[in-house]
Amino acid sequence: MSEEKATSTTHALIFELEYVAAQTRKVEFESIKSAVGTKGVELTPIAFSRSGMSPLHRAAITDVLKAAGKKADAIEKAVNEVDKTVTNYCANEAELDAGLEKLIKATMARGIPVVAFTALPESDAKALMAKLGLDAMGVELLIPEEVKDSFPRADDWLKMLKQCGKEGCTLVAVVSSQVACKGALTAGAACIAVPDEFTSFQDFGGAKMVLDSLSDEKPDAMLDLTLRM
């Protein structure tokens, strides 16, 4: 077996599609803020961060309303509004993070597969992959069989890695939240954390790197530190 072939079957890079490749969390915040505003709730970035920011919009909106002392039994309209906004963003407005693009290309140049995982509905995920050009780059899309309110925890990572046949790989995970980071670490991955404005205060202890932007570090330096080749 060639060295490149061996590497491609023993190593992998995996990243959060909506929160690392694009800025979907900011879109979710603005949309949820607008939706709950009709119920007399003023959503601030701090309140959103404290809500848990579930990738499931129903859960996120329910958490926000409950935290504000509101009953969460009339949320259908708010959920529909947020879903519609995110769907439109994925298909028409999202742009690929420049630093991630360079990291993907550097990873593939080493013969290492790249996987994007997501909590988005399949239709939105595929639209986002196409809009960002990730399909054309050869990035594999992983849609978990189950997404819970708090995702992705350690058991989610283990299930995803088994699903895509990467459970035995030396894995680098590029993540944006504490939940994703801790889960990936427990699953044995080396983590590169790229917090956004809503997750920057979270605990990323154990991550190999915590960056303001993937553009802050050279791709090969990140790979040399994390892939342990």
Side-chain angles (χ1 to χ4, degrees), residues 61 120 140 149 192:
I61 291 168
L120 289 168
E140 176 186 346
D149 289 357
I192 299 173

Side-chain angles (χ1 to χ4, degrees), residues 37-192:
T38 62
K39 302 182 182 299
V41 176
E42 181 180 356
L43 181 62
T44 65
I46 293 176
F48 181 56
S49 298
R50 289 174 176 170
S51 74
M53 295 177 294
S54 172
L56 302 181
H57 300 147
R58 181 179 304 280
I61 291 168
T62 300
D63 286 347
V64 168
L65 292 176
K66 284 184 175 179
K70 301 288 184 178
K71 292 183 178 180
D73 57 350
I75 62 173
E76 292 301 324
K77 183 177 180 180
V79 172
N80 289 336
E81 289 177 2
V82 175
D83 285 347
K84 183 176 180 180
T85 298
V86 171
T87 294
N88 178 68
Y89 172 76
C90 290
N92 303 304
E93 300 174 3
E95 296 182 358
L96 179 60
D97 180 85
L100 179 64
E101 181 177 7
K102 292 178 181 178
L103 180 59
I104 291 171
K105 291 180 178 178
T107 304
M108 289 183 167
R110 299 189 184 202
I112 297 169
V114 179
V115 179
F117 75 89
T118 184
L120 289 168
E122 183 173 357
S123 57
D124 287 348
K126 289 183 175 180
L128 184 55
M129 288 284 290
K131 179 65 174 65
L132 299 179
L134 294 172
D135 283 337
M137 294 174 68
V139 175
E140 176 186 346
L141 174 62
L142 171 59
I143 299 177
E145 296 174 352
E146 180 184 19
V147 175
K148 303 171 185 176
D149 289 357
S150 183
F151 174 88
R153 293 189 176 276
D155 60 334
D156 298 313
W157 277 99
L158 294 173
K159 290 176 183 177
M160 287 193 296
L161 296 180
K162 184 176 181 179
Q163 184 179 334
C164 68
K166 302 290 191 299
E167 66 266 41
C169 288
T170 295
L171 191 76
V172 176
V174 188
V175 298
S176 67
S177 72
Q178 176 180 320
V179 169
C181 183
K182 297 301 183 185
L185 289 171
T186 302
C191 285
I192 299 173

